[in-house]
Amino acid sequence: MSVWNHLLCRPIMSFVHKKCRNVEVPYLGSQIHRVNVPDDLVKWSREWVEYTPPVYTDQKVHGQAWSDPEINDARFKPAWNSIDGKINRVSYVCQYSFDTKTLCPLNPVGRTGIAGRGLLGRWGPNHAADPIVSRISDDGHLEFVAIQRRDNGEWAIPGGMVDAGEHVSQTLQREFAEEAMHGVVDKESLKELWSNGKELYRGYVDDPRNTDNSWMETVVFNFHDSEGLLKNVALQAGDDAKALRWIQVDSKEPLYASHSHFIDLLKASHST
């Protein structure tokens, strides 16, 4: 697999993704296993002539309003690395490159062991937003709202995908309402909370859905409830979640994708 264009990436891309290279289990919702990619061959800059990953795009992705056509569809003429109508195809971390044979965008962090889009709708970056709603508990511990995902049972920040044409600030509030308030948008009670958000992260996510050609990126905001606003708001897991609870930042609870890293950023922001 050859690379077209030079990867103009920020220093943050020096890390090696791991959760999207797991060969112990099939790719989510499939029987397809990833090719094992050693740490020293993750980067596209390392030549690997024999690299032939399986190509997989889940059938649930095809024909959806939130997904792209196949890369070889003659009607598909995306504006890569740009705002493409209502779709943001700009990566938060770099100007991504392309495979010279397939013309597919290439994951800026490197090989994942599987090509195609997997469960992701967009070729290239798929943008999400993750609101970390936090508070100090009655016994003095910093804690945050977490939901238990239905697909794998892992605990996670209640975030989700940015809709086409939607501003990230709208996504943050909508996703928290859908995932942690059972769809009830309580704008008035939480107006003060939403007006005092602090950005903690903007970039790549080591997500198990990532492939060589489609990957997750997110913006993480912390909304800290220092006034006890949430005491009068009913928190309830949405349809996509099995359960909801407050988790202490020092609990060492295993979290989904890169969410443990985001909680470390939350801890650091409240320790200064």
Side-chain angles (χ1 to χ4, degrees):
M1 186 175 286
S2 51
V3 178
W4 172 35
N5 290 345
H6 179 64
L7 289 175
L8 304 174
C9 296
R10 299 176 184 174
I12 194 171
M13 305 314 296
S14 61
F15 80 97
V16 177
H17 52 201
K18 296 184 180 298
K19 291 194 175 185
C20 60
R21 290 163 49 219
N22 186 0
V23 297
E24 299 297 325
V25 295
Y27 183 91
L28 293 169
S30 79
Q31 298 301 314
I32 308 296
H33 281 263
R34 297 175 185 269
V35 169
N36 182 44
V37 180
D39 285 354
D40 62 342
L41 290 176
V42 169
K43 302 301 180 185
W44 297 110
S45 57
R46 294 298 304 274
E47 186 175 1
W48 187 3
V49 177
E50 299 83 8
Y51 181 62
T52 53
V55 179
Y56 175 69
T57 299
D58 195 288
Q59 286 297 318
K60 294 191 291 291
V61 172
H62 295 295
Q64 299 296 327
W66 44 265
S67 69
D68 289 332
E70 286 304 292
I71 202 74
N72 57 0
D73 189 321
R75 298 165 297 175
F76 185 43
K77 301 183 183 300
W80 300 118
N81 288 299
S82 303
I83 302 298
D84 184 14
K86 291 185 176 181
I87 301 169
N88 182 7
R89 300 190 188 277
V90 180
S91 171
Y92 292 140
V93 294
C94 77
Q95 182 175 330
Y96 46 88
S97 298
F98 303 84
D99 180 83
T100 55
K101 295 180 180 178
T102 66
L103 302 184
C104 292
L106 289 174
N107 188 315
V109 178
R111 300 178 177 96
T112 67
I114 192 169
R117 281 179 290 160
L119 284 167
L120 297 178
R122 304 293 179 195
W123 295 100
N126 289 254
H127 293 115
D130 290 297
I132 303 180
V133 174
S134 62
R135 71 179 183 186
I136 302 298
S137 64
D138 292 339
D139 55 0
H141 292 283
L142 176 63
E143 53 187 16
F144 64 97
V145 174
I147 53 119
Q148 188 177 29
R149 295 174 61 100
R150 287 192 181 277
D151 56 1
N152 57 16
E154 291 185 309
W155 289 92
I157 298 162
M161 305 305 296
V162 179
D163 290 340
E166 186 177 44
H167 192 275
V168 168
S169 62
Q170 296 173 299
T171 310
L172 290 162
Q173 296 179 46
R174 174 178 58 77
E175 284 296 333
F176 189 80
E178 291 177 0
E179 301 285 351
M181 298 171 66
H182 206 58
V184 179
V185 181
D186 194 343
K187 292 183 178 179
E188 194 58 37
S189 297
L190 299 181
K191 183 177 181 180
E192 184 176 349
L193 180 70
W194 297 133
S195 64
N196 290 291
K198 179 181 180 181
E199 184 173 323
L200 299 181
Y201 180 81
R202 182 180 295 257
Y204 183 84
V205 181
D206 185 8
D207 190 290
R209 294 169 291 183
N210 290 355
T211 71
D212 286 0
N213 311 123
S214 298
W215 60 91
M216 289 294 301
E217 298 187 8
T218 195
V219 176
V220 180
F221 266 80
N222 176 214
F223 300 96
H224 186 68
D225 183 14
S226 57
E227 303 297 328
L229 300 172
L230 289 168
K231 289 182 178 180
N232 300 316
V233 175
L235 295 181
Q236 182 181 355
D239 293 338
D240 291 338
K242 295 171 62 176
L244 176 148
R245 66 185 174 98
W246 289 91
I247 295 180
Q248 292 184 10
V249 296
D250 293 320
S251 69
K252 306 300 182 184
E253 180 78 53
L255 299 176
Y256 177 77
S258 297
H259 292 193
S260 292
H261 173 59
F262 303 155
I263 297 307
D264 287 341
L265 296 176
L266 172 69
K267 290 166 58 177
S269 71
H270 283 269
S271 64
T272 56

